[in-house]
Amino acid sequence: MIMTCGCSTSGKLSVSSVAYQSLRTDFAQPQSIAKDAKIAVEYFFNSKGEMQPVVYNLTSEILVLDQTKSFVIMPDGSSLSYYDPTIRTSTTGTYSSETSGATFNLGGITNALGIGGALGVLANATNVGSSHTDGIMRQNTVSVTDQPHVYIGPKGSVAMSKAYKINGIGDASYIGRNVIDVAPSASTVRFSVCVSYSFDDGKHYEKLVTNFYISSNISVPVIDRKVSKAFYNIYEQKPDALAENMYLFVLPNNIKGVTTDVMGEFLVHSNIYDTYIYGSLIDFQ
């Protein structure tokens, strides 16, 4: 994990601490899903603390997922629906150009730019010499809108429309108060998700409510640049740290982050890998 952190701009990597979190449901995670279960929801988390539910239809019937009646209750008590009627539009564009002194056929450029008809035919017979510059502009516009009702086919699955960030998960600045294996009532980060679904084409809806909480927070400072000792300290305090169904490590450091926006909100790449997250949590009915 430390090797993946890379090097800082100053040439000397500095890791100030090692932080650990484990996340649980208020019931013991099952070893397997019951054979008579009709629906299952698996919850995935990323290093930013964003939660993405994936709904599984375990039957041979059609499942109707009502996103207007499905929501997440945040740690601060606020309720956020999975359905948002707002239509969001994102436009991205790229321009590439090249300058050369060689002779070229103008038809190649008109074809690349999509020019047809008489102009295109004329250009195919026209050669131009000396220096030139040609370019292509490409734009992609993507519109995103939520569906109030999502239909899931027999034995199918679908990811819900949003990945909400849960404050306190993966936040190194928050992991300051050390607690180990606390009960749900003693946790400072508790939240829940309600998924509304129907198997009779929306005539009657049922709810699957899952309660989550952070069961362990451990932060150990790194002394004399010995990061491994900080890990050993965590394992001494919680020997079963790696046996949790879902846990993460965070390593605060002095690396200057560079985030590349590849395609708007859909794909963002970072050059830092200082968080390790393992596992997922599941509920069924």
Side-chain angles (χ1 to χ4, degrees):
M1 184 184 301
I2 304 304
M3 294 295 290
T4 62
C5 289
C7 298
S8 68
T9 56
S10 64
K12 183 175 292 186
L13 173 64
S14 175
V15 178
S16 60
S17 63
V18 176
Y20 168 89
Q21 278 185 339
S22 60
L23 186 64
R24 296 178 182 175
T25 53
D26 62 355
F27 59 89
Q29 282 290 286
Q31 296 295 322
S32 61
I33 297 176
K35 293 182 179 180
D36 59 348
K38 295 182 177 181
I39 180 177
V41 183
E42 189 169 9
Y43 296 90
F44 297 93
F45 297 80
N46 65 12
S47 60
K48 298 178 181 178
E50 296 169 335
M51 174 185 64
Q52 176 66 69
V54 176
V55 181
Y56 299 86
N57 180 3
L58 305 178
T59 74
S60 57
E61 306 295 329
I62 296 176
L63 184 154
V64 182
L65 175 64
D66 190 341
Q67 293 202 125
T68 67
K69 299 178 181 177
S70 299
F71 49 88
V72 55
I73 304 297
M74 292 293 185
D76 63 359
S78 60
S79 176
L80 299 177
S81 173
Y82 275 98
Y83 173 68
D84 182 359
T86 303
I87 298 177
R88 302 180 302 279
T89 301
S90 174
T91 301
T92 60
T94 58
Y95 178 80
S96 59
S97 64
E98 180 179 354
T99 300
S100 174
T103 301
F104 69 101
N105 188 288
L106 192 60
I109 293 191
T110 58
N111 290 336
L113 294 175
I115 301 175
L119 177 60
V121 173
L122 178 63
N124 284 331
T126 304
N127 288 302
V128 180
S130 73
S131 177
H132 77 279
T133 300
D134 62 273
I136 300 175
M137 179 66 184
R138 298 185 177 89
Q139 282 191 334
N140 296 311
T141 300
V142 180
S143 295
V144 180
T145 182
D146 285 351
Q147 294 180 337
H149 300 92
V150 179
Y151 293 82
I152 307 176
K155 308 297 182 180
S157 62
V158 67
M160 297 189 71
S161 62
K162 291 180 179 60
Y164 281 116
K165 175 175 173 53
I166 309 299
N167 291 331
I169 296 180
D171 187 354
S173 63
Y174 175 85
I175 309 177
R177 175 186 167 217
N178 286 8
V179 294
I180 300 176
D181 297 333
V182 298
S185 59
S187 175
T188 56
V189 177
R190 298 188 299 272
F191 59 99
S192 61
V193 177
C194 174
V195 175
S196 296
Y197 65 96
S198 171
F199 280 103
D200 57 4
D201 200 22
K203 295 178 182 179
H204 302 90
Y205 280 94
E206 298 182 59
K207 296 180 295 185
L208 175 59
V209 179
T210 309
N211 299 312
F212 304 87
Y213 71 102
I214 290 181
S215 59
S216 296
N217 270 325
I218 306 174
S219 181
V220 177
V222 172
I223 302 175
D224 295 332
R225 301 177 60 86
K226 296 180 180 179
V227 180
S228 60
K229 285 193 174 182
F231 276 97
Y232 297 150
N233 191 307
I234 291 175
Y235 299 144
E236 288 176 357
Q237 296 185 59
K238 184 173 170 58
D240 62 345
L242 304 183
E244 292 280 353
N245 288 283
M246 215 220 86
Y247 62 86
L248 59 90
F249 286 94
V250 181
L251 288 80
N253 56 76
N254 64 334
I255 305 176
K256 183 178 180 181
V258 177
T259 300
T260 304
D261 191 345
V262 180
M263 191 177 175
E265 63 179 302
F266 301 101
L267 183 59
V268 177
H269 173 72
S270 174
N271 67 321
I272 302 178
Y273 300 92
D274 54 2
T275 302
Y276 174 81
I277 191 165
Y278 170 86
S280 63
L281 297 173
I282 195 167
D283 197 1
F284 61 84
Q285 200 168 58

